[in-house]
Amino acid sequence: MTLHAPLHGGPDALGVPLHDFSTNSNACGSCPGAVQALREADARHYPDPAYTALRERLGAFHGVAPARIVIAGSASEFIHRITAFAARRGVRAVAVPVHGYGDYTRAAQAWGLDVRPAAPGADPAVTGLCWACDPSSPLGTPDPALAAWARIGAQDGALRVIDCAYAPLRLEGTAPPMPANAWQLWTPNKALGLTGVRAAYAIAPQAQPSQDLAALRSLAPSWPIGAHGVALLTAWTLASPQRWLRDSLDALRAWKAEQQALCEALGWAVVPGSLANYFVARPGVDDLPAALQRLRAHGIKLRDVTSFGLPGQVRLGVLPPGSQQALRQAWIG
């Protein structure tokens, strides 16, 4: 088994990039209502270890029973936790998107599980833990697994998880209905422009046995999130941050059109189909790592998506026009 080091966008050994295209965080800045909630967070005391009020608020926000809400330290923490739960339950194989977040695979490898590319319509007995992400990353396209899961139903007993990290940042189209047999994993920090605050939550399928929920909670450390995580998730449910988010999508749509046009003007091949605030492009250079290193020296960071199975290509989060012009100037020299 080959274990791969985690690869992520964002800050690196050189610090925070001046123009960071490598993450998919909301480029409209940090949501003011969420920032205010963080300022007012009471960090003098432990949170309620059961997160009773928070789970009630999140349950009401999604229209589900609070018992179905599982608080997580981050999306990555929950990915590793539910993989551990699956392995302990006897699952031996994990289906992951053909192009997807590396932690799905890393968590499976840590437990010695067989990792297989997702194949909608495949025999459900082959895999006991199945991942989907909609919109997908890095391509931003719809995940075909959702429709397949809806057809299968819940009879096979497989664990299915939809990573909803980018659902709030969908810029086009209508979100598909969530299959009733799947977990939903939500990480609002990207949509709120506050990725430095680590907090997430999952929504269990209605038919998930209560003993499974108890087992998942038992696998978490005490207080998986602190006072600031509670504040972020609470703010996420409020009307003002939701209005701010909806308004920010209009700006992101305009910036995305400008940024894709810029890439095409530079001679890059933009991969079509992204519905989200990011897209993939092929710069068409012989030595992409060297080109990205040169950009990084100018304070510009792009995400090499070789680790996603797309060599020679980059993912670009949508940034404002000023950052786009800095990319143009650095690229043309």
Side-chain angles (χ1 to χ4, degrees):
M1 177 178 62
T2 301
L3 294 177
H4 299 285
L7 296 173
H8 303 291
D12 51 29
L14 297 178
V16 178
L18 184 61
H19 305 285
D20 191 0
F21 293 87
S22 70
T23 77
N24 298 335
S25 182
N26 191 330
C28 289
S30 300
C31 172
V35 170
Q36 184 61 31
L38 293 172
R39 291 195 182 111
E40 296 173 357
D42 182 5
R44 298 171 301 167
H45 303 107
Y46 292 108
D48 165 20
Y51 300 101
T52 307
L54 177 59
R55 288 191 298 110
E56 289 177 352
R57 183 176 289 276
L58 290 168
F61 181 68
H62 287 278
V64 303
R68 292 172 57 188
I69 303 294
V70 176
I71 303 300
S74 66
S76 292
E77 186 273 318
F78 185 79
I79 290 166
H80 281 261
R81 196 197 318 176
I82 200 168
T83 303
F85 168 77
R88 292 179 61 177
R89 204 172 75 166
V91 166
R92 301 309 307 156
V94 178
V96 302
V98 175
H99 306 296
Y101 184 39
D103 274 22
Y104 311 143
T105 295
R106 290 187 64 248
Q109 289 178 331
W111 283 90
L113 306 183
D114 184 18
V115 179
R116 304 176 183 180
D123 181 357
V126 173
T127 53
L129 175 59
C130 308
W131 288 98
C133 183
D134 194 89
S136 67
S137 178
L139 293 171
T141 52
D143 195 317
L146 271 62
W149 294 357
R151 291 192 299 269
I152 290 171
Q155 293 80 12
D156 57 48
L159 274 171
R160 299 182 176 86
V161 189
I162 305 168
D163 188 341
C164 303
Y166 308 111
L169 291 165
R170 177 186 294 269
L171 303 182
E172 301 175 40
T174 303
M178 294 287 184
N181 58 3
W183 285 78
Q184 301 171 34
L185 175 57
W186 292 88
T187 46
N189 56 1
K190 293 181 179 66
L192 297 175
L194 289 160
T195 53
V197 182
R198 311 302 292 160
Y201 61 96
I203 305 174
Q206 187 170 4
Q208 197 74 34
S210 59
Q211 60 266 31
D212 288 353
L213 295 173
L216 267 168
R217 292 190 177 105
S218 73
L219 287 170
S222 298
W223 300 288
I225 62 174
H228 294 92
V230 171
L232 181 82
L233 296 183
T234 300
W236 169 244
T237 68
L238 300 179
S240 177
Q242 289 296 318
R243 283 195 301 269
W244 176 87
L245 173 60
R246 287 193 296 271
D247 291 343
S248 74
L249 299 184
D250 291 333
L252 292 172
R253 289 186 191 97
W255 294 348
K256 181 179 180 181
E258 294 173 10
Q259 189 165 307
Q260 289 180 323
L262 168 64
C263 289
E264 291 170 349
L266 293 175
W268 299 11
V270 174
V271 177
S274 171
L275 308 173
N277 66 318
Y278 51 89
F279 58 92
V280 168
R282 183 185 293 276
V285 292
D286 293 333
D287 190 345
L288 181 60
L292 297 182
Q293 187 175 13
R294 179 171 61 84
L295 289 176
R296 188 65 184 92
H298 288 83
I300 299 166
K301 186 173 182 181
L302 279 62
R303 178 71 158 89
D304 185 333
V305 290
T306 299
S307 64
F308 287 92
L310 296 168
Q313 300 174 68
V314 294
R315 187 192 66 196
L316 297 95
V318 171
L319 291 189
S323 294
Q324 296 178 25
Q325 289 308 307
L327 171 61
R328 176 185 176 277
Q329 293 168 11
W331 186 259
I332 65 178

